[in-house]
Amino acid sequence: MGKTLLNNQALYCYHNEAMRDYFEQYKFAGDYYLRKVFQAEFQQFIRQKYPQRKWKYCIIPVDRQTKASERGFNQVEGLAAKLKNERWLRMDDARHRIKQSHKNRAERMQTQQPFILKSPAKVKNQSVVLIDDIYTTGRTLYHAQALLLDAGATEVRSVTLAR
């Protein structure tokens, strides 16, 4: 059986200098205030494209090390702060993993499932929108999609700020 194609909507292209600079400063240098640059537009796009009366929002989590010591925050939560979201996914922190941003494309494609689904019963018969900051290879989003579909979600799509 093949993979289900993930429908992803991105607001911006990552392959330009301004967007790369933004993510370098916001995500990797930890400038949390920069969430406000795209926050309102990002959230409005998600609400319009995927109204909450039909869709459940699920933010892609970060591991404890990133949140606690390196960055101090989940960059996706910052961008989607005012959206009611389901916290169904969590990182499997028991596994040693190398961050996606430190891998090349081939290494990213070999990444094993990094997530654990916290509440499988709540996912059944739900339409879910995964929310992330950047779609590079899509591997992270495909892992999340697989868990949700296996738990009985009827449909899984994704929205990213950039691709």
Side-chain angles (χ1 to χ4, degrees):
M1 182 176 156
K3 287 184 181 177
T4 302
L5 185 63
L6 180 63
N7 179 328
N8 181 74
Q9 298 283 316
L11 275 72
Y12 293 97
C13 178
Y14 180 67
H15 299 290
N16 69 58
E17 192 173 340
M19 189 56 77
R20 286 180 187 266
D21 289 347
Y22 169 80
F23 276 107
E24 182 63 35
Q25 199 58 36
Y26 174 54
K27 184 174 181 174
F28 301 113
D31 189 346
Y32 189 62
Y33 191 77
L34 285 177
R35 75 193 183 285
K36 295 182 180 236
V37 172
F38 295 108
Q39 189 180 59
E41 179 184 13
F42 190 56
Q43 292 177 40
Q44 180 181 11
F45 177 83
I46 294 167
R47 284 187 186 111
Q48 287 178 344
K49 184 83 175 160
Y50 300 103
Q52 280 198 298
R53 66 182 177 276
K54 179 181 182 212
W55 297 89
K56 299 288 186 185
Y57 303 150
C58 186
I59 289 175
I60 296 296
V62 296
D63 60 46
R64 282 189 209 136
Q65 179 183 350
T66 299
K67 194 168 186 178
S69 62
E70 291 177 22
R71 194 176 305 138
F73 62 93
N74 177 334
Q75 70 281 357
V76 184
E77 287 176 0
L79 291 169
K82 297 177 183 172
L83 295 175
K84 181 182 180 231
N85 69 83
E86 306 298 332
R87 306 227 178 233
W88 290 330
L89 298 174
R90 74 174 175 82
M91 296 300 295
D92 183 356
D93 287 323
R95 290 184 339 111
H96 172 72
R97 71 179 201 98
I98 299 169
K99 296 182 183 337
Q100 293 290 74
S101 61
H102 296 153
K103 297 178 183 178
N104 63 34
R105 180 174 178 76
E107 292 167 332
R108 287 177 186 224
M109 297 310 289
Q110 296 301 314
T111 302
Q112 298 300 307
Q113 179 60 265
F115 302 117
I116 294 171
L117 188 57
K118 294 193 286 189
S119 305
K122 293 181 180 180
V123 174
K124 193 166 180 66
N125 299 319
Q126 299 293 330
S127 294
V128 181
V129 176
L130 296 167
I131 302 172
D132 205 357
D133 56 349
I134 302 173
Y135 183 116
T136 307
T137 62
R139 193 70 177 136
T140 299
L141 291 164
Y142 273 99
H143 278 307
Q145 177 197 38
L147 274 182
L148 294 166
L149 289 174
D150 287 348
T154 55
E155 186 173 11
V156 179
R157 295 186 180 184
S158 65
V159 173
T160 54
L161 180 62
R163 179 170 183 180

